Every structure is written in structure tokens, then in C-alpha cells.
Amino acid sequence: MRIYITILLLFFTFSIRANTYYVATNGNDTNQGTEAEPWASIQKAANTLVSGDTVLIKSGVYNERIIVQNSGTTNNYIVFTNYQNAEVIIDGSGISWWDWDGLFNVSNKSYIEVSGLIIKNSSYGGIWVENSNNININNNYTYNTVSCGIGIWNSSFITVNGNEIELACNDGEQECISIANSNNCIIAKNHIHYNGPGTNGGEGIDIKAGSHDIVVSENIVHDLNNRIGIYADAWDTHTYNIDIIQNKVYNCDNSGLAVASERGGLIENVSFINNISYCNKWGGIELGGWTNINYNDSTPVKNIKIINNTCYKNGSFNGGWGFGIDINNSYAEDVVIRNNICSQNSAQIGVENILSGIVIDHNLIDGTNNVTDAVNGNDSIIGNPLFVDSSSFNFQLTDNSPVIDMGNPIYAPSIDFCNNNRPNGVGYDIGAYEYIQSSDIQYNTNPNNLIEIYPNPIFDKFIVIINGNKLQNYALNLFDSNGKLVRCLENRKVKKDLIIIERNNLISGSYILNIEVSN
């Protein structure tokens, strides 16, 4: 796929005032906030910044809690970020408040970006967003939080991208990354590991309680105590349109990925695509029927697609036992299990309970699958998938793998785990990886501007990932095949970002996305 980067003359509305301020540990809050006279506290910046303003925070430890006071506007975000990759530590030691909110708190605000910060030792959450919209939480690190490292509540159009979450949920409920009753969110390229004890919350990523239109993509989750790696749970509210794609989950002391309705809310339209789940204690991917304590009614789950995943040696961690893929919910309807590799799990694919409507086809079964409730499905392959090196958990395919070109194209994704186009040969491959010959690999020739776009073809939305190594201006514009501008999409100054673009009223056909990077 080619990306044309062109010089365009564009007109956008910018804030008249767009100031850059500075904070440093040797500053003073009575200063002007310039680089020569910086402020001493980040909260001083939070009290002062208005639409379009940026604060650059210099290295050091800031023992304070930050509460954002003002909102930005479209194309004029208020930005909190570190100065020239400085190590900025916001340390909550000795700071306490009632048991809600975060050490860095964004409530009832819009158009805020928080990036490049270290948040640690919080008496509740790390970075907290509530009743807000158009918030970017990028490339931060949270450590030792009583509750979630990053929590999103009752909010919309939120990006949580490239963050690292460690030692979250020290028995303060919630999850390492919590997305509750929120919509149109992207949770991408985060690294979640080594949670708290897991006796009171602690899942890696949880999409829950009325959330909808959520993409969970390219995250790495591992080594969690007692908890699921990536979880979609309706709780008691209708939850829907959740895409869980291209994630890697391993060494979790529970299941790798799961979907359920713990207190009766309908959860529907959930897709697990191109994920890799291995060496978890229980299942690789589960559709569960478990309930919260004191709830004994229905747990409705509907329209679940489990497509092109690789599940390996689940049931092997801490003496567990589990299917690679397991369906166990007597209220579940309309489930598709297709094009998956299930290899060397305790058992491979199981259907223990379901209400109606399950399709299982074109999967590879490798290992024990003769236990109670195990199924092979239709048109499945029995045998070794011939990974490149399973001992080092490299699940790419060798050139003689039996799964090459053997997948079912219905619902098959247009890319694989590594964003390679599918199909690469005459047909779709089974598993998370599409086999790519070395001569077919395309190398990025401009490392300053790595831009990924998927899926393509597009149905209801597409995603643009910007992964540069320096701060630059990006302007995105969409044209139809006649060259008519049909949408001005984005104009922002970023180093790394993930942008979701809805199709809305665009008719079927070919379009050109022009991306201008700086000049």
C-alpha cells in the first residue's frame, strides 16, 4: 500500500493564543512560566493553560496531584508533555484523597493530551479520565497504583496509545486499563504487565459496563496475577461493537482473552481477530458464562467472531488446564470460530454450553482434542502448524506449513498480526500470521514518518497510526476518485498517534488519503 505525502494549501481554524509554558523543579509558581522563568508545579500549568497551549515539563520528581482545569478545542489541544524526552516523575507518595479519581485527573474536559509522563505511587488511579471527550493519553508510564493505571469513565473519543502499565491494581478494584461506559475509544500499543496480587481487580484491559465502538489493538499483556489479560464484560449494561485485534497475551494466571456478561447486560458484536494467546493458565480465548456473586439470571452474549487467532500451550501456566478456544455460556448466540490455530493447549476447541448458532470451520487442531466437549469443526486441519520456532514463541509460518492458503475468506481480515496484507497467496492463511516470503517484505524507507493504515478495504471505519521519532505536524485530507475533497480529517502536532476515522455517509468506491507531514 502506497501513501502519498503531498504539499497542500489548507485552511484550519486555530486559536489566536497558543503559548508554550515550562515547568521545572527549580522554578517558582510566581514566575512567568517561560523557559528562563519556569513554574515549579504542574498544577500551576493545569490552572493556567487554555485552548492551544502546551506545557513542557523538565526532568525531576513532582510530588503533587494534578487536576486539569480548562478544555481545549478542535485542533487546539491543551498538551501536557515532557521536555525533550526528559524523565518527568509525578509521585503520589504521601498524597491521599477519597477512593476515586487519579493522580493525574481529567474530568469534564475536552481536547486534552497527556504524554511522556511517569505516574507512580497513587493512592487510587494513575491517569483518570471521566465525563470527557477527545482526550489523548500517549506514551506514559504508570507504576504502583492502588487502582487502575489508566481509567476511562463515561467518556468518548479517547485514545490510549503506547503507554506502559506496571504494578497496577494493588487490590483497589478496577483493572490495569479500565474503559467503562465509554465510546469511540482506541486502546492501542500499550504494554501491561505485573499487576498487583489480583485478589480485588487487576485484569489487563477491560472494556465494560456499556462501552461501545471500541478498538483494542496491538497491545502486549503478560504476567498477570489471577486475572484475564484482555476482557470484554457487559456487567449489567448493553455493551457492543468491540474489536480486539492483533494483541499478544501470555503468562496470565487466568485466561488470555475473554468475553462475558457478569450481571446480565447484553454484550454483542465482539470480534477477536489476529490475536496471539499463549501459556496462560486457563483458556486462550473464552466466551464465559460466569457471573458476579449473588447474580443467578441470564448472561446474554451475541454475535461473537473468533477469526485468525493463534492459541498455543494455554493451560500450561501455574498448573492450569484450558482449551485454546472455549465456548461455555448457555445464553450465547451466533458464534463463529474460523481460521484459528489451536496448538498444544490442554485441549484445542471446546463447546461446553451455547444457546444457538455456532459455526466452527477451517481451524488447525494440533494436540489433544478428545476430551469431553471438544470439537474439531468442519474443514479443519489436524496436525503440526510448523511454526518458525515455537520454543521462542515465534508463531510465523514456515514455507511448508499446512495452513498456507487454507483459510475461509468469509470474515477473514485484510491484514495479519504484522499488518501484512491478506491474502498474500492464492488464499487466506489460517492463524494470526499470513505467510510472507522474504522477497515480499516491504521495508520502511523513511523512519521519521512511519504511517500505517488499516483495514483496507474499509467497511465502517479505518485507523491511521502515526509512529514517528520526532514531533511533527500532520494534516490528513480525504478525496474521492474525482479529486473532490470530501473530508478534512486531522491537523495536529504529534510524534506518535492513533486516529480512528468513521466512514459515516461516504458511498462505496475508491478514495485517496493525502497526508502532509510538516512541509
Side-chain angles (χ1 to χ4, degrees):
M1 177 176 58
R2 294 178 180 175
I3 299 172
Y4 295 89
I5 300 178
T6 62
I7 299 173
L8 302 175
L9 182 60
L10 303 174
F11 293 88
F12 288 89
T13 300
F14 287 95
S15 171
I16 295 174
R17 174 183 175 181
N19 295 316
T20 298
Y21 297 101
Y22 296 82
V23 171
T25 54
N26 62 350
N28 191 307
D29 283 350
T30 62
N31 286 344
Q32 298 300 308
T34 63
E35 185 168 14
E37 295 187 36
W39 293 320
S41 71
I42 303 168
Q43 185 59 49
K44 172 65 176 180
N47 294 340
T48 306
L49 268 60
V50 295
S51 179
D53 289 350
T54 295
V55 60
L56 301 178
I57 309 166
K58 294 193 174 184
S59 62
V61 177
Y62 297 84
N63 184 222
E64 57 177 309
R65 183 177 180 227
I66 293 91
I67 301 175
V68 176
Q69 297 297 314
N70 300 311
S71 291
T73 57
T74 305
N75 300 315
N76 293 278
Y77 278 68
I78 293 175
V79 178
F80 297 81
T81 190
N82 57 333
Y83 173 82
Q84 296 183 350
N85 296 317
E87 184 178 85
V88 175
I89 300 172
I90 301 173
D91 190 340
S93 298
I95 301 173
S96 61
W97 61 94
W98 73 295
D99 61 348
W100 196 250
D101 292 345
L103 192 62
F104 196 108
N105 189 48
V106 182
S107 294
N108 302 296
K109 299 295 178 290
S110 302
Y111 300 101
I112 305 294
E113 180 168 331
V114 182
S115 66
L117 307 181
I118 298 171
I119 313 289
K120 62 188 297 186
N121 303 325
S122 171
S123 66
Y124 201 69
I127 300 173
W128 195 273
V129 177
E130 188 166 11
N131 298 320
S132 297
N133 65 80
N134 294 283
I135 311 296
N136 296 333
I137 309 297
N138 299 332
N139 305 307
N140 302 282
Y141 172 59
T142 73
Y143 179 81
N144 190 29
T145 56
V146 170
S147 183
C148 48
I150 298 175
I152 311 298
W153 305 83
N154 311 314
S155 296
S156 59
F157 298 99
I158 311 297
T159 298
V160 179
N161 183 46
N163 303 279
E164 182 176 359
I165 312 297
E166 184 177 6
L167 199 59
C169 299
N170 281 306
D171 280 352
E173 300 182 329
Q174 313 311 333
E175 301 81 27
C176 299
I177 296 180
S178 300
I179 311 296
N181 194 34
S182 296
N183 64 83
N184 292 283
C185 301
I186 301 292
I187 315 303
K189 296 189 175 182
N190 301 287
H191 180 198
I192 300 105
H193 57 115
Y194 301 114
N195 61 338
T199 52
N200 189 13
E203 287 82 359
I205 300 173
D206 194 1
I207 310 302
K208 62 181 182 179
S211 293
H212 62 87
D213 296 287
I214 309 292
V215 176
V216 181
S217 173
E218 298 184 84
N219 301 280
I220 298 175
V221 183
H222 64 94
D223 291 284
L224 300 185
N225 289 311
N226 300 318
R227 295 292 164 170
I228 296 165
I230 298 177
Y231 189 27
D233 171 30
W235 193 245
D236 61 357
T237 307
H238 184 204
T239 301
Y240 56 95
N241 296 351
I242 301 170
D243 294 328
I244 300 174
I245 57 178
Q246 293 170 253
N247 302 281
K248 182 185 291 187
V249 183
Y250 62 94
N251 287 4
C252 291
D253 201 9
N254 202 299
S255 293
L257 305 101
V259 56
S261 169
E262 292 189 13
R263 289 192 68 83
L266 170 63
I267 186 165
E268 61 180 336
N269 303 336
V270 180
S271 297
F272 296 89
I273 297 173
N274 286 337
N275 299 286
I276 297 173
S277 180
Y278 65 92
C279 295
N280 298 293
K281 184 173 184 177
W282 305 120
I285 301 174
E286 282 199 72
L287 194 168
W290 49 80
T291 61
N292 184 256
I293 191 169
N294 299 324
Y295 180 82
N296 298 302
D297 207 339
S298 63
T299 55
V301 179
K302 186 176 181 180
N303 191 18
I304 307 300
K305 292 181 174 63
I306 303 173
I307 311 289
N308 278 101
N309 303 280
T310 296
C311 299
Y312 176 77
K313 277 199 173 180
N314 293 287
S316 65
F317 187 67
N318 281 355
W321 191 96
F323 286 98
I325 299 172
D326 187 30
I327 310 301
N328 188 8
N329 184 331
S330 57
Y331 297 95
E333 302 177 76
D334 302 327
V335 177
V336 177
I337 302 173
R338 176 173 293 147
N339 295 353
N340 303 283
I341 293 177
C342 291
S343 174
Q344 300 300 311
N345 305 282
S346 300
Q348 308 317 310
I349 298 177
V351 181
E352 300 181 66
N353 284 293
I354 191 168
L355 178 63
S356 64
I358 188 166
V359 176
I360 304 173
D361 66 74
H362 293 83
N363 301 285
L364 180 134
I365 306 295
D366 173 33
T368 300
N369 208 43
N370 56 4
V371 300
T372 302
D373 300 318
V375 296
N376 288 346
N378 298 321
D379 299 306
S380 292
I381 297 170
I382 309 299
N384 190 327
L386 298 180
F387 296 130
V388 167
D389 186 3
S390 60
S391 65
S392 64
F393 309 112
N394 182 344
F395 303 115
Q396 296 184 65
L397 306 174
T398 57
D399 58 7
N400 57 345
S401 171
V403 304
I404 294 173
D405 297 336
M406 298 303 292
N408 185 336
I410 299 174
Y411 301 132
S414 61
I415 57 172
D416 75 347
F417 182 83
C418 287
N419 292 311
N420 296 309
N421 289 333
R422 292 184 188 265
N424 185 57
V426 297
Y428 290 82
D429 298 350
I430 294 171
Y433 288 99
E434 188 81 358
Y435 174 68
I436 306 293
Q437 294 180 344
S438 58
S439 60
D440 294 333
I441 298 174
Q442 297 182 3
Y443 296 95
N444 174 43
T445 59
N446 188 353
N448 289 335
N449 305 301
L450 177 59
I451 299 172
E452 303 172 43
I453 302 173
Y454 66 91
N456 193 8
I458 296 158
F459 294 94
D460 58 343
K461 57 192 170 187
F462 67 99
I463 296 168
V464 178
I465 295 176
I466 298 170
N467 192 18
N469 63 9
K470 64 180 181 180
L471 200 65
Q472 297 186 98
N473 289 303
Y474 289 81
L476 283 67
N477 291 278
L478 192 67
F479 296 82
D480 66 16
S481 57
N482 296 317
K484 179 183 177 182
L485 178 65
V486 294
R487 194 170 308 165
C488 296
L489 299 170
E490 293 287 336
N491 187 4
R492 59 176 65 180
K493 188 173 184 178
V494 297
K495 180 168 69 173
K496 298 176 184 291
D497 206 356
L498 189 150
I499 304 163
I500 183 169
I501 298 168
E502 300 287 345
R503 176 174 174 169
N504 294 335
N505 60 348
L506 296 178
I507 65 172
S508 298
S510 298
Y511 293 82
I512 299 168
L513 179 66
N514 280 321
I515 303 175
E516 179 186 352
V517 184
S518 293
N519 291 320

